[in-house]
Amino acid sequence: MKKQNSRTYLYIALGGLVLIIALIVFYMLTPVSKAEQTQYLYIDDDDTQDSVLTKLGDFSHTAGMTGLKMLVRHSSYGDHIRSGRYAIKPSEGAFMVFRHLKNGQQTSMMLTIPEVRTTDRLAAVLSHKLMLDSATIADALTNQEICQELGYDTCTISAMFVPNTYDIYWNIGIDRLLQRMQHEHDRFWKGDREQKAAAIGLTPIEVCTLASIIDEETANNDEKPMIAGMYINRLHQDMPLQADPTIKYALRQFELKRIYNKLLQVESPYNTYRNEGLPPGPIKIASIKGIDAVLSYVRHDYVYMCAKEDFSGTHNFARTYQEHLKNAARYTKALNERGIQ
């Protein structure tokens, strides 16, 4: 009788053990996500155990997700939360995902630097893609000391950003972000571009400044080397650039369709009608096409240009002021006929 009871207890214990193992397998190894595509969990520096659980609640409810929540809730995870962007793949169970969270094994992301006009706008765009808030980014880009440490000032810092796509971590700090951008800038310029800039007597910052103006003059990449040649001719002849985009930048009125004479009187170092040479810095983050257009500018003898009256986005070029006035008259007439103010 005792042997029979012992066997019964043994079977119950074994059954209980099997059940426990089955539950562990069910909750811990069952996929956390029902989604067919990889999803991402974003954990901030100020997240707590409770807020992480709340974020996990936004994902589909599965046995695996229940297991993950149990691990987050009933472990020491709350004492060592690591920020980052964590991938939750369809095939991964609770143990795997939790190990990534606990060890800080986050997934990098592709960050594209946009061709925006102002550092405020750059800060706003980047803040939507990174853990950094816009104020932190904007403060750094307008801090003279920080800019000088990187080899720029607050007017030229935008020349450090090359509008490319970079593999980067979502929770990168502002210092490391700026150092990374400086590294990518140096790699972009090293070699052929640096040599071309030196050959035409411009620094990389000056090339970016001129390229930013050309970018604002036209979206037609094929015409950009031609426009670059026109502006370089003006620089060589000590003529004011007289670039309308710099007036828009000085006024911070980028929507302007026409630049009237009264606007040309604006007091600003960016007013290239009143000041000779290049403005203090780029008026946007220059495109790679714009930069390369300056470095490989077309040699010609044009010193004037005016938008074409067909609104194609291209320009009529002129060697003399009299010829330029004729081109300008045709364009002005076309603007008037369309009622563009």
Side-chain angles (χ1 to χ4, degrees), residues 150-223:
L150 295 165
Y152 302 86
D153 58 38
T154 55
C155 293
T156 60
I157 188 64
S158 58
M160 184 180 74
F161 293 87
V162 179
N164 239 325
T165 299
Y166 306 98
D167 189 13
I168 209 163
Y169 285 111
W170 173 76
N171 65 338
I172 190 170
I174 185 61
D175 291 340
R176 292 190 64 185
L177 173 64
L178 295 178
Q179 290 167 7
R180 173 68 183 279
M181 291 300 99
Q182 183 185 41
H183 171 74
E184 295 295 345
H185 168 276
D186 293 346
R187 187 167 70 170
F188 173 81
W189 281 94
K190 187 176 182 179
D192 189 49
R193 287 189 177 92
E194 200 169 45
Q195 291 169 10
K196 284 184 176 181
I200 61 178
L202 296 176
T203 67
I205 290 176
E206 290 171 333
V207 171
C208 287
T209 300
L210 184 53
S212 71
I213 295 173
I214 295 166
D215 283 339
E216 290 289 89
E217 291 282 16
T218 183
N220 188 313
N221 289 324
D222 292 336
E223 194 187 42

Side-chain angles (χ1 to χ4, degrees), residues 260-272:
Y260 293 99
N261 286 332
K262 64 180 180 180
L263 300 178
L264 303 182
Q265 307 309 311
V266 60
E267 290 284 350
S268 170
Y270 288 91
N271 184 342
T272 56

Side-chain angles (χ1 to χ4, degrees), residues 65-178:
M65 181 57 70
T66 299
L68 178 58
K69 290 179 180 178
M70 290 170 61
L71 289 171
V72 170
R73 181 180 291 110
H74 300 295
S75 69
S76 60
Y77 171 74
D79 298 330
H80 303 283
I81 295 176
R82 300 192 181 190
S83 65
R85 173 180 180 264
Y86 295 92
I88 297 182
K89 300 178 181 178
S91 61
E92 290 182 335
F95 271 137
M96 180 69 73
V97 176
F98 180 70
R99 187 175 68 179
H100 292 164
L101 298 180
K102 186 176 181 181
N103 295 335
Q105 294 175 320
Q106 60 174 307
T107 303
S108 62
M109 59 173 287
M110 302 309 292
L111 175 70
T112 299
I113 298 298
E115 297 173 22
V116 292
R117 293 186 176 106
T118 65
T119 53
D120 282 347
R121 182 58 185 159
L122 176 62
V125 172
L126 294 184
S127 70
H128 287 299
K129 299 178 180 180
L130 300 171
M131 190 176 75
L132 290 166
D133 61 74
S134 59
T136 298
I137 301 172
D139 288 347
L141 297 179
T142 55
N143 185 303
Q144 195 71 268
E145 184 177 342
I146 291 176
C147 292
Q148 287 176 348
E149 287 176 358
L150 295 165
Y152 302 86
D153 58 38
T154 55
C155 293
T156 60
I157 188 64
S158 58
M160 184 180 74
F161 293 87
V162 179
N164 239 325
T165 299
Y166 306 98
D167 189 13
I168 209 163
Y169 285 111
W170 173 76
N171 65 338
I172 190 170
I174 185 61
D175 291 340
R176 292 190 64 185
L177 173 64
L178 295 178

Side-chain angles (χ1 to χ4, degrees), residues 330-341:
R330 290 200 301 272
Y331 182 61
T332 299
K333 180 182 176 183
L335 287 174
N336 293 335
E337 288 175 348
R338 293 197 180 196
I340 298 175
Q341 300 297 317

